[in-house]
Amino acid sequence: MTAFVSPAPGELPAFVPDDLPHFPGNAPARREPPRPLFRPSTTPEPYPVAATGPLAEVTKAIIALTQAPPGICANSVLAAAALATQAHADVRLPGTERPRPITLYLLSIAGSGERKTTADREALIGVRNRERDLREIAKEADGAFRNATEAYDAARAEVVKRGKGDLNSTRATLDTLGNPPARPTRPILLMTEPTVEGLVKLLADSPPTVGLFSSEGGSFLGGHALSDEARLRSGARLSSLWDGEPIDRVRSGDGSTVIVGRRVALHLMAQPDAAARFLSDPTLRDQGLLSRFLISSPAPTAGTRMFRAASLETMQTIEHFARTIEDLLRSIPPTNEDGGLRTLTVEGLARARFIGFHDAVEKEIAPAGRLASIKGFASKLAEHAGRIAAVLSLVADPTCQVVSPDAMSNGVHLANHYAGEALRLGDDARIADQLRVAEKLRLWLIEKNKAIVFPAEVYQTGPAELRSKAEALAAIRILADHGYLSPMHGAAGEPAVVDGVSRREAWRVLDADGYPVGG
């Protein structure tokens, strides 16, 4: 192959072999380097740990103990606090007619090895302790329930037998028996991977507060609950639980049931790929579930965590938080038949701060505003701030009747942080799945030090997402279009020969300067 060399004045054009040394007079044009598949994600802002108020010290302690990212530790602590307080009170926010639940849905995004599970385990010690106590209580309650049920069934059968078809007499006697014994409350506060139907079934005889918490949240996000056929139904149900709506359950075998006074906190910890698919789901975005999540995706800490022993003060702080959560769960008041709870109000300076934040957010939702691209989430941002503030107020004082000004300031600060994360992650979520898969193929080619690639090799041994020729070709063509690959051709348009095998479709891998890898 030859390269064209510009002639000197008065000379004819000449062609020289392109493998000759390049001197200033015959230097080829600089090749265009490959173009990025998408704009890299911006760096996350540090989590404002101080704004967690009464939760700040335990958050710092868990950070010190686990060396996990602060955002992961803070989300774990905030989720545990929401689980423990949400059945104590609702909150009436300025401008709303009805009290709102203080339920929080949180999503923590971090890769493998970021100690998500460890941070969550430390934050949930108090919840697990209370669950252990409930199991002991349930042992006695279950025995009493079985005995009462057998006695009731026997008495009912005897009444029917003695009635001998006398409708009025039998009915009157049965009325004196009253209703059958109520099933004891199940000793379950935490679930990891239920279907939404299973969750609703559990709520029929659950404690007033439960949590859907999973340090392997990808299994829930990619499981049956959010499968293609169940996604819209599950999203609607989870949204209604965040809203605190009564739960109507209608089944052909069980009849109909309306469940009131239940609160469900949610904290999922997921790896970036699973989270990206969840956040980019148009069905869940349009349905409104995504706008109910507070999301943290902090910078990784793996590789910086040198050994250090936990201090006595650190362990005491975590133990004190565990006792606080245990006490809050133990003192949950019984709800009335309408599911009513006491209502916290927002007054004085706290009210002024809430209204100021509400109006500032509203201005930014306008088409040219900073929050226009996350309008669905931003429309709930003031409520998120109010819910967080109510949780912090109750942790500080379980008997409080109003949201404190400090708690509202902290709620606004944290809501601002989550808004920043939503903006940043929203940009990432808009990246097409095909581009994400192509990026995985690009990284795989680098890892395997490939100089030539062809479809069969990709779908047989490449990234897990590429399991067919069509998928492999799509990813290869994206990389070629962006300058990472160059198609190979044999002589006179014949198929290229790779390792002695004729390949109709094969590509050379190009380096960062646009030249073939390996020369």
Side-chain angles (χ1 to χ4, degrees):
M1 185 174 178
T2 57
F4 179 76
V5 178
S6 299
E11 294 183 354
L12 295 175
F15 289 88
V16 298
D18 64 0
D19 57 353
L20 290 180
H22 294 298
F23 298 101
N26 67 351
R30 185 173 63 86
R31 300 193 64 144
E32 179 185 4
R35 292 169 283 116
L37 294 175
F38 41 80
R39 184 172 62 191
S41 177
T42 56
T43 303
E45 291 294 322
Y47 193 97
V49 173
T52 57
L55 304 177
E57 291 307 312
V58 68
T59 301
K60 293 175 186 176
I62 293 177
I63 294 170
L65 177 65
T66 66
Q67 299 189 65
I72 298 297
C73 299
N75 264 16
S76 291
V77 170
L78 188 57
L83 172 63
T85 57
Q86 64 182 352
H88 278 266
D90 292 335
V91 61
R92 180 176 284 109
L93 300 171
T96 59
E97 294 297 324
R98 298 182 185 278
R100 301 293 290 161
I102 62 174
T103 292
L104 300 180
Y105 283 5
L106 297 113
L107 174 63
S108 299
I109 304 172
S112 179
E114 290 299 329
R115 301 180 177 172
K116 301 186 295 291
T117 301
T118 306
D120 216 37
R121 184 186 305 121
E122 295 299 323
L124 293 174
I125 290 173
V127 181
R128 294 298 187 190
N129 289 345
R130 180 56 182 161
E131 260 192 336
R132 180 194 60 212
D133 293 344
L134 290 176
R135 286 195 294 270
E136 291 300 316
I137 295 170
K139 289 179 183 178
E140 292 186 18
D142 286 344
F145 171 72
R146 285 194 299 271
N147 293 341
T149 299
E150 289 179 9
Y152 179 87
D153 291 344
R156 185 179 180 85
E158 184 65 21
V159 168
V160 172
K161 179 180 177 181
R162 291 183 178 181
K164 297 180 179 180
D166 186 334
L167 178 62
N168 292 332
S169 174
T170 301
R171 178 186 295 167
T173 308
L174 288 175
D175 287 343
T176 63
L177 288 178
N179 294 321
R183 182 180 296 276
T185 298
R186 296 189 189 186
I188 298 175
L189 295 174
L190 293 174
M191 297 159 287
T192 58
E193 193 183 341
T195 63
V196 173
E197 290 79 6
L199 171 61
V200 170
K201 186 175 182 180
L202 170 69
L203 292 175
D205 44 41
S206 75
T209 182
V210 295
L212 200 169
F213 284 43
S214 178
S215 58
E216 298 296 335
S219 60
F220 177 79
L221 297 178
H224 174 75
L226 294 176
S227 61
D228 289 343
E229 64 275 11
R231 186 177 297 122
L232 184 59
R233 182 174 67 254
S234 295
R237 178 66 80 185
L238 290 172
S239 293
S240 68
L241 289 171
W242 187 86
D243 292 336
E245 299 292 339
I247 304 161
D248 58 301
R249 180 170 177 264
V250 181
R251 293 291 182 272
S252 58
D254 301 338
S256 61
T257 306
V258 177
I259 307 167
V260 295
R262 301 294 191 274
R263 296 288 182 261
V264 181
L266 193 151
H267 183 207
L268 301 177
M269 297 177 140
Q271 297 208 18
D273 285 348
R277 290 191 294 272
F278 175 66
L279 296 176
S280 62
D281 190 291
T283 300
L284 298 178
R285 182 185 62 244
D286 294 343
Q287 184 277 326
L289 178 61
L290 298 182
S291 66
R292 289 164 167 81
F293 273 87
L294 301 170
I295 308 170
S296 181
S297 181
T301 59
T304 66
R305 304 170 306 206
M306 299 303 107
F307 175 82
R308 62 176 181 234
S311 69
L312 177 61
E313 182 182 5
T314 291
M315 301 311 297
Q316 288 175 337
T317 300
I318 295 172
E319 290 169 8
H320 179 267
F321 177 70
R323 288 193 297 272
T324 298
I325 294 299
E326 233 181 307
D327 290 343
L328 283 164
L329 291 169
R330 190 178 292 109
S331 61
I332 290 174
T335 58
N336 62 29
E337 289 301 314
D338 296 326
L341 298 170
R342 89 174 190 268
T343 301
L344 302 185
T345 58
V346 181
E347 301 171 4
L349 185 55
R351 177 184 176 86
R353 289 173 178 170
F354 175 88
I355 293 173
F357 181 61
H358 174 280
D359 291 351
V361 169
E362 188 63 27
K363 292 175 183 177
E364 295 293 346
I365 296 177
R370 185 176 67 94
L371 303 177
S373 64
I374 55 166
K375 183 171 65 174
F377 174 76
S379 66
K380 291 181 171 60
L381 195 55
E383 180 171 345
H384 282 304
R387 289 184 180 219
I388 294 170
V391 169
L392 298 181
S393 293
L394 286 165
V395 170
D397 178 9
T399 65
C400 70
Q401 300 296 321
V402 298
V403 172
S404 74
D406 285 347
M408 185 58 73
S409 294
N410 286 330
V412 166
H413 196 160
L414 292 176
N416 263 326
H417 172 77
Y418 288 116
E421 284 288 84
L423 283 169
R424 185 175 67 86
L425 296 169
D427 288 341
D428 291 351
R430 282 185 279 275
I431 297 170
D433 284 343
Q434 283 188 324
L435 291 179
R436 294 184 188 279
V437 174
E439 174 68 2
K440 286 195 170 186
L441 176 58
R442 185 185 74 83
L443 296 174
W444 180 80
L445 293 172
I446 294 172
E447 178 190 351
K448 301 299 182 181
N449 196 30
K450 294 290 183 182
I452 296 173
V453 63
F454 46 91
E457 180 182 34
V458 171
Y459 66 75
Q460 289 173 4
T461 65
E465 291 82 357
L466 301 172
R467 283 293 178 259
S468 70
K469 180 179 179 180
E471 292 170 335
L473 272 174
I476 287 171
R477 286 168 179 164
I478 289 173
L479 292 183
D481 184 58
H482 285 74
Y484 293 96
L485 304 175
S486 176
M488 294 177 63
H489 302 290
E494 294 296 320
V497 176
V498 179
D499 296 332
V501 178
S502 178
R503 300 282 182 187
R504 286 183 298 174
E505 297 172 307
W507 284 259
R508 291 190 184 279
V509 180
L510 305 181
D511 64 19
D513 295 318
Y515 290 95
V517 171

